[in-house]
Amino acid sequence: MEEELSETGNHLSMDSSGTGKHFDSGELDIAEPVGWFGGWLNFRWCSTSMSILRAAEKRILSYVKTPYRGRYINVGVVGYGGKEECKVWTLSMNETSEKTPLVLLHGLGSGVALWALNLDGLANSRPVYAFDLPGFGRSSRPNFSNNAMEAEREIVDSIEEWRREVNLERFALLGHSMGGFLASSYAIRFPDRVSHLILADPWGFPERPSDAGSKYPIPVWVKMIAYLLQPLNPLWGIRIAGPMGPKLIEKARPDLIKKFSSLTDDGDAEIANYIFHCNAQNPTGESAFHSMMSNFGWAKFPMCNRISDLRADVPLTMIYGSRSWVDHFPGDMIKASRKESYVDVHIIPGAGHHVYADKTENFNTIVLNACGWSENNKERMHVKVPIFPKELVKQTVILTPGKPDIEQENPDIVEKIKEIESLETIPSETEKKTN
């Protein structure tokens, strides 16, 4: 369900009195304890709120020239033991275009504003939607399961519910880093909705090397500290820095900050401030990431072991930065293994992990070409799709091939799946024409 009122950019919304104003629908501004004791328990002792984050986001998005609409989409109850409805902060642009929409999923610790350098170029020719994943940015902060597969499923469920509420039938899905991992999981489960899967320096694909510890000798004292900090979320340092958080981000990640320096007169400070307030609040999305990761660089259930479940008719484009810490070998491996499918792998020279911001024009061109390829080749890709009863979809998504411990939780469903796999398949439109 979409909230009644919305916030717009580069156009003034009209309120009921007829005066031009910017306004939010259902602005989430839940007061949280920031006293010294409560702050230390939550590793946060600097005042923050959704209103402060909203102001920081608007200053960055003032760079965007294309008119946009911002609104909250109600996706219902999300997460572990949730009772309150989750609202997902969403930006949309060029919605009247008849071309296939493009949906953007951000990475860890990020939000919709970090697409600011790309939005004008991407939305010039097609509808573009970007939203803050639940637990991140301006969206609600539901609690997720501490089980890796369950947390992943809960987030992917919320993406599908968002799609239903926004009423998108089919779209190109672009995910960066953690967003690429989740986009892949979504495309595996809901292939009919994804016209093209585009992964930008995706996290969580390769398996952790067995010699990861011995390959790079680490001092004993560093291992001890790392062990003690293991239970903490990855970005705890930002929150414990308190009022020095934005400065810490500027000093620790000057490479990231400089990418956006052209956005505003004080771009460095604005981006650092935005990133800080994205992450200074209740870090439920970050906790979900912590559940899914095996040390920061790897996923507990690597996507390379599951990407074979992506239906063969879903086109895949992978974009890596040549200077990124993310290994691009999985891209080459996936291309070699999906011989009957469209797989395009790009390595952009001089780009790092934030490849979309490092080489904006090059990145946008690759993305738009991928979207265009799908529109021009709708009949080219065809596979036989198993008949799969809708009532089983939500029950079966937690199953993982090769994981008996998970399958045993649903023995009846597993048996039904085996029956379904032996059923007749339905031909694609292309096969119908040729028969």
Side-chain angles (χ1 to χ4, degrees):
M1 180 178 65
E2 179 185 327
E3 299 290 346
E4 182 180 354
L5 302 180
S6 62
E7 177 182 311
T8 59
N10 294 322
H11 278 294
L12 290 178
S13 299
M14 303 301 292
D15 66 7
S16 58
S17 65
T19 59
K21 291 182 180 179
H22 291 291
F23 49 80
D24 280 317
S25 71
E27 179 67 68
L28 303 176
D29 203 7
I30 302 170
E32 297 187 57
V34 292
W36 72 269
F37 185 69
W40 276 104
L41 284 179
N42 290 285
F43 292 106
R44 181 184 66 250
W45 54 293
C46 177
S47 178
T48 187
S49 70
M50 286 293 178
S51 294
I52 296 174
L53 176 56
R54 171 181 179 266
E57 179 191 276
K58 285 179 73 74
R59 284 193 292 271
I60 295 170
L61 291 179
S62 65
Y63 169 90
V64 179
K65 297 179 177 60
T66 306
Y68 66 83
R69 180 163 61 129
R71 62 201 188 277
Y72 278 103
I73 303 298
N74 190 333
V75 298
V77 176
V78 172
Y80 181 73
K83 296 181 180 178
E84 296 183 2
E85 294 181 328
C86 176
K87 296 181 180 180
V88 173
W89 178 243
T90 303
L91 299 184
S92 52
M93 311 171 78
N94 196 10
E95 294 177 80
T96 58
S97 171
E98 295 183 358
K99 289 195 173 183
T100 305
L102 172 65
V103 175
L104 312 179
L105 298 186
H106 61 78
L108 176 68
S110 185
V112 295
L114 290 194
W115 296 109
L117 294 170
N118 307 89
L119 292 174
D120 285 327
L122 295 177
N124 184 50
S125 58
R126 68 182 58 252
V128 171
Y129 295 80
F131 62 90
D132 289 336
L133 289 160
F136 294 93
R138 292 175 64 184
S139 291
S140 299
R141 304 280 175 139
N143 291 314
F144 297 96
S145 171
N146 59 11
N147 174 277
M149 290 301 293
E150 280 293 312
E152 178 185 325
R153 181 188 64 80
E154 288 165 352
I155 297 175
V156 170
D157 277 346
S158 72
I159 296 173
E160 170 60 7
E161 195 58 38
W162 174 89
R163 179 205 64 79
R164 291 177 184 171
E165 294 298 332
V166 178
N167 197 27
L168 296 182
E169 185 66 24
R170 193 167 167 81
F171 53 90
L173 182 59
L174 164 60
H176 170 251
S177 194
M178 179 196 71
F181 180 85
L182 294 170
S184 301
S185 182
Y186 178 89
I188 289 171
R189 283 182 50 193
F190 303 102
D192 288 332
R193 303 304 179 188
V194 181
S195 64
H196 205 118
L197 177 60
I198 307 171
L199 307 178
D201 230 49
W203 169 87
F205 269 67
E207 289 202 64
R208 185 184 181 190
S210 57
D211 62 345
S214 59
K215 192 173 182 180
Y216 306 101
I218 302 173
V220 175
W221 67 270
V222 174
K223 290 182 179 180
M224 290 176 63
I225 293 176
Y227 177 80
L228 291 173
L229 297 180
Q230 225 174 6
L232 302 179
N233 284 326
L235 303 178
W236 66 273
I238 292 176
R239 289 180 288 279
I240 203 170
M244 295 304 295
K247 285 294 181 184
L248 174 64
I249 294 170
E250 283 190 64
K251 296 295 183 183
R253 293 301 309 273
D255 58 323
L256 174 59
I257 301 303
K258 289 296 181 185
K259 302 179 200 303
F260 299 92
S261 59
S262 61
L263 287 175
T264 64
D265 293 337
D266 194 13
D268 293 15
E270 295 288 8
I271 289 294
N273 194 48
Y274 173 73
I275 293 174
F276 173 75
H277 287 290
C278 272
N279 296 286
Q281 303 177 62
N282 189 11
T284 61
E286 188 183 330
S287 295
F289 176 82
H290 186 268
S291 297
M292 294 186 290
M293 75 179 196
S294 174
N295 288 342
F296 186 80
W298 296 276
K300 287 179 180 175
F301 297 96
M303 195 54 67
C304 261
N305 296 340
R306 297 187 275 158
I307 201 68
S308 59
D309 295 332
L310 179 65
R311 211 168 66 190
D313 62 337
V314 178
L316 173 61
T317 293
M318 306 184 78
I319 310 171
Y320 293 93
S322 66
R323 299 171 56 197
S324 173
W325 57 268
V326 171
D327 188 358
H328 58 75
F329 174 73
D332 300 327
M333 185 183 72
I334 292 168
K335 184 171 184 176
S337 65
R338 290 175 66 84
K339 297 184 186 299
E340 303 302 319
S341 305
Y342 178 88
V343 180
D344 197 15
V345 180
H346 295 264
I347 302 174
I348 299 182
H353 181 54
H354 292 270
V355 57
Y356 61 93
D358 279 326
K359 302 290 181 181
T360 303
E361 290 187 16
N362 197 345
F363 179 85
N364 283 2
T365 298
I366 294 172
V367 171
L368 293 175
N369 286 344
C371 294
W373 187 94
S374 297
E375 290 172 336
N376 296 330
N377 294 272
K378 290 180 180 178
E379 299 299 323
R380 177 173 170 180
M381 302 301 293
H382 57 92
V383 295
K384 290 185 175 181
V385 183
I387 299 172
F388 201 78
K390 290 182 180 178
E391 62 269 18
L392 285 182
V393 172
K394 281 199 172 183
Q395 300 177 63
T396 59
V397 293
I398 65 171
L399 301 181
T400 305
K403 297 290 185 298
D405 54 323
I406 298 178
E407 291 181 353
Q408 285 171 6
E409 296 174 9
N410 302 271
D412 295 335
I413 297 173
V414 173
E415 199 58 40
K416 289 180 181 179
I417 291 174
K418 290 177 181 177
E419 293 175 11
I420 291 167
E421 288 175 343
S422 65
L423 293 176
E424 180 184 354
T425 57
I426 53 177
S428 67
E429 292 301 316
T430 301
E431 291 174 315
K432 287 179 183 177
K433 293 177 181 178
T434 57
N435 290 337

